[in-house]
Amino acid sequence: MPAPRTVLLTGAAGGVGTLMRDLLPPYGYDLRLFDARPVPAGPGAQGAVTADLADRDALRAAVHGVDAILHLAGISGESTFERILRANIEGTYHLYEAAREEGVRRIVFASSNHAVGFTPRPLGGDPLIPVDTPRRPDTYYGLSKCFGEDLAQLYADRYGIDTVSVRIGACFPRPRTVRMLSVWLSPADGARLFHAALTADVTGHTVVYGSSANTRLWWDLGPARALGYRPRDDSEPFAAALVAEQGELDPADPAHANLGGAFCTDPPVRRP
Ligand code: 15L
């Protein structure tokens, strides 16, 4: 696929979007920014579109003429089903419809490890979790990521829109918990991975895990490497301090037993 130049970044004011606003332009992208909240001043902010994904006209105008879309928008943790339905499930549907109408051929979808959050984490000697492990969402949030992956498959089969779904681990400047030592995606590696996903010569729907090359890795990074991703970071330098503060993960603790960590055990968020 020819390298996309103009890329629509949805969720540009969010956590990962804010990091990518700075990190992706050096790869040669001209980012068009989209978010329901105003994008704070900075590169590209002047032309940013402030609109909801449900605003079909605004979304279609934003998608018009772009070469690819990096879809980060949505609620990034558990919430009520109603809020997840609107922001993540319907929002992603609106995005794919706009892409179909405007003829965009490549989408990179921010999926999440929480699509498979109830998968037991590997213990010493266990194989790494493969990308085709059965879906086991740990929350409505994780369920919305399963939906997004299936929507991507539908639009690939039916309309020829190619998607790379990146099951992101935890993309923060530094890991915050002992669990994150296994799933951390450094921002710089995040930009490397999104760049690979935007440019890889793949068709159809491809699912990969998104993390750095962590010593304590739980999943198979092979499919991401097959896109050309070459991670350079490892969370291990942060390990001693985090373990001293929080202790090692306890396999007998249900909040430590699965990939999704406490997402699997936190009380459900119920509608009021
Ligand atoms: C996610 O999907 C969330 O968006 C992020 O905030 C982190 O909590 C991360 O997962 C995680 O698994 O730690």
Side-chain angles (χ1 to χ4, degrees):
M1 125 138 205
R5 176 154 174 74
T6 309
V7 173
L8 179 70
L9 177 66
T10 73
V16 181
T18 297
L19 295 165
M20 293 308 130
R21 269 173 16 230
D22 287 335
L23 290 168
L24 282 176
Y27 287 88
Y29 299 113
D30 184 7
L31 294 182
R32 193 179 291 177
L33 309 181
F34 187 101
D35 202 297
R37 299 153 293 181
V39 176
Q46 222 163 18
V49 181
T50 305
D52 196 281
L53 290 169
D55 182 341
R56 287 170 59 175
D57 293 339
L59 181 57
R60 199 164 162 181
V63 167
H64 180 76
V66 300
D67 301 315
I69 300 170
L70 175 52
H71 180 43
L72 303 179
I75 297 170
S76 60
E78 185 58 320
S79 189
T80 63
F81 179 75
E82 288 73 13
R83 292 190 66 225
I84 294 283
L85 176 64
R86 187 172 190 284
N88 293 19
I89 296 179
E90 293 179 0
T92 301
Y93 160 72
H94 293 312
L95 191 274
Y96 272 82
E97 272 297 275
R100 181 187 62 76
E101 289 165 345
E102 293 296 332
V104 178
R105 312 291 301 184
R106 171 65 53 101
I107 297 177
V108 175
F109 169 57
S111 185
S112 167
N113 71 92
H114 298 288
V116 292
F118 265 110
T119 308
R121 68 179 174 88
L123 299 170
D126 289 347
L128 295 174
I129 299 169
V131 86
D132 60 357
T133 196
R135 304 259 194 61
R136 297 182 73 172
D138 54 27
T139 42
Y140 296 133
Y141 166 67
L143 185 66
S144 76
K145 297 303 183 182
C146 294
F147 171 84
E149 291 184 6
D150 282 346
L151 189 76
Q153 185 67 58
L154 172 66
Y155 277 67
D157 289 334
R158 223 178 154 91
Y159 306 116
I161 297 176
D162 302 325
T163 293
V164 177
S165 290
V166 181
R167 287 182 184 157
I168 301 172
C171 186
F172 298 104
R174 44 200 299 144
R176 298 172 174 178
T177 62
V178 171
R179 171 182 165 275
M180 282 190 195
L181 294 170
S182 297
V183 302
W184 185 56
L185 175 65
S186 75
D189 277 345
R192 288 181 191 107
L193 179 51
F194 292 137
H195 174 55
L198 285 163
T199 53
D201 190 12
V202 285
T203 54
H205 180 220
T206 308
V207 181
V208 303
Y209 290 112
S211 71
S212 290
N214 302 317
T215 300
R216 300 173 185 227
L217 198 64
W218 288 341
W219 50 53
D220 179 15
L221 275 183
R225 289 182 188 276
L227 298 176
Y229 172 53
R230 298 289 175 267
R232 292 203 200 144
D233 295 320
D234 181 344
S235 62
E236 208 51 25
F238 300 98
L242 283 169
V243 170
E245 184 190 305
Q246 301 170 13
E248 289 284 3
L249 296 181
D250 175 2
D253 181 341
H256 295 176
N258 300 316
L259 196 61
F263 276 57
C264 299
T265 51
D266 283 346
V269 181
R270 301 263 184 241
R271 59 188 160 189

